[in-house]
Amino acid sequence: MKNLGYLASAYTAIWLVLSFFLAKLYMRNQKLNREIDQLETRIKELESKRGSGAE
Amino acid sequence: MTARKLLIHAIFLALLIAVMECAILWALVIAPADREQGDVQRIFYFHLGSIWPAFLAFFYVLYGSIAYLVTRKQIFDHRAFVAGQVGLAFGSLVLITGPIWAKPTWGIWWTWDARLTSMLVLWLIFLGYVMLRDYIDDATKRERLSAILGIAGGVMVPFVYLSTRWFETQHPSPVIMGDKESGIKDPQMVNALLLALAAFSLLAIYFWRRGIELVHSDARLQALRRRTLDLEENV
């Protein structure tokens, strides 16, 4: 088996790039969901404040 | 996510994993080693498997960019942008695995022939396409410029594909839709290639779908921000 190092390098590079891309998507998704949750909580607070103010 | 969507997602993911495992098995174990190049030729399956989804994604950018310029609907711009990112990821794989394969077979990492150079230029165009988003604040201007750059990149894809026919290159002729002399003859090698193409195409679709979900989440976030500001002003 000659040049096995090149074969291993190529396949390692492939999975590193794909893992990086997937991790980037996952982290961005987590960040967006966290921000959405925070804003939804804030909106609920503001709406309840507005509701109690109107009473 | 509804139960139906979750089920489709799970089935798609299971299919992707199964095809990917088969592709790796065929590429590394079942397909025979090349008589001249030996085992290093096995890089070919995923090298070519990467260019296919990259080209498809770049063509989608072309379609989405034209559709955006004609209709001015943001959804086309968003879809094209996500396709551009996916194409860039797979294009990066082509440019990384190519030189790693070239060194033991050609004796050099890189040569400035028409195929390699045009692929690098294509990759740079889409790198610019993706990065452009961060540098222009005006949304309309950004989308219009992105669309123009996306069309320029998409139009270049056939040139990259045909460059080995139009010019004398170090790079071999196309295997898919190539000349009679080009291509692979061993049936297990053909299976390995087809599986790699299928696996990476499914993976590209998976990435694209996740990217579109991010775009939707981002749009929802913007709407929530506006709603929060509105409430804060009125409370």
Side-chain angles (χ1 to χ4, degrees):
Chain A
M1 282 208 180
K2 61 176 189 171
N3 294 324
L4 210 62
Y6 290 103
L7 182 64
S9 309
Y11 276 78
T12 306
I14 288 169
W15 296 112
L16 279 178
V17 170
L18 292 177
S19 305
F20 171 76
F21 193 75
L22 198 62
K24 214 178 126 209
L25 280 177
Y26 177 77
M27 283 190 295
R28 175 105 179 102
N29 190 35
Q30 292 289 95
K31 188 172 172 266
L32 280 175
N33 284 340
R34 218 172 24 244
E35 282 183 47
I36 286 172
D37 286 345
Q38 282 171 356
L39 281 176
E40 278 176 345
T41 313
R42 176 83 182 128
I43 286 170
K44 272 182 195 162
E45 280 173 13
L46 288 167
E47 278 176 343
S48 64
K49 258 188 202 175
R50 197 163 75 164
S52 60
E55 281 167 24
Chain B
M1 210 184 258
T2 61
R4 191 171 167 271
K5 272 189 177 176
L6 264 177
L7 181 69
I8 293 170
H9 181 78
I11 292 170
F12 185 85
L13 211 56
L15 180 72
L16 169 60
I17 292 168
V19 176
M20 189 64 81
E21 281 182 3
C22 287
I24 294 169
L25 187 69
W26 250 266
L28 291 178
V29 182
I30 296 176
D34 186 76
R35 264 180 299 179
E36 286 173 19
Q37 295 182 26
D39 283 301
V40 79
Q41 179 269 345
R42 295 178 194 276
I43 295 174
F44 157 80
Y45 303 114
F46 285 97
H47 175 71
L48 194 68
S50 308
I51 192 81
W52 175 254
F55 278 178
L56 281 182
F58 294 152
F59 268 131
Y60 192 90
V61 175
L62 175 68
Y63 158 75
S65 302
I66 293 171
Y68 171 76
L69 287 178
V70 172
T71 64
R72 298 284 165 168
K73 284 182 182 168
Q74 266 194 329
I75 186 72
F76 290 116
D77 170 70
H78 292 159
R79 285 178 178 174
F81 176 62
V82 175
Q85 286 179 313
V86 173
L88 189 68
F90 283 96
S92 304
L93 290 183
V94 176
L95 287 174
I96 292 168
T97 54
I100 297 176
W101 186 21
K103 180 64 180 161
T105 50
W106 299 345
I108 45 170
W109 293 100
W110 183 267
T111 178
W112 294 99
D113 79 356
R115 166 57 72 88
L116 275 68
T117 309
S118 60
M119 184 62 209
L120 179 64
V121 171
L122 183 69
W123 185 83
L124 287 171
I125 289 174
F126 279 97
L127 180 68
Y129 175 82
V130 169
M131 290 181 78
L132 189 71
R133 303 271 156 166
D134 298 328
Y135 295 103
I136 303 173
D137 292 328
D138 181 356
T140 314
K141 195 177 171 187
R142 183 177 61 218
E143 286 158 7
R144 205 172 55 238
L145 278 175
S146 290
I148 292 165
L149 199 57
I151 291 169
V155 165
M156 209 183 149
V157 171
F159 176 80
V160 177
Y161 176 76
L162 293 167
S163 58
T164 51
R165 293 184 189 182
W166 291 345
F167 303 97
E168 201 154 304
T169 60
Q170 177 95 24
H171 194 280
S173 301
V175 173
I176 298 170
M177 294 182 284
D179 306 326
K180 279 181 185 170
E181 294 79 30
S182 67
I184 44 176
K185 308 285 185 274
D186 187 281
Q188 295 297 5
M189 285 182 166
V190 175
N191 290 342
L193 175 62
L194 292 176
L195 281 165
L197 288 171
F200 271 14
S201 299
L202 287 172
L203 190 62
I205 294 168
Y206 179 79
F207 283 161
W208 187 75
R209 287 297 311 159
R210 298 287 77 76
I212 293 295
E213 277 174 17
L214 283 184
V215 168
H216 290 160
S217 296
D218 203 35
R220 189 156 167 244
L221 183 69
Q222 300 308 325
L224 286 172
R225 276 188 184 142
R226 282 194 297 273
R227 173 86 182 127
T228 312
L229 276 175
D230 189 40
L231 281 168
E232 280 173 343
E233 280 170 12
N234 294 311
V235 168

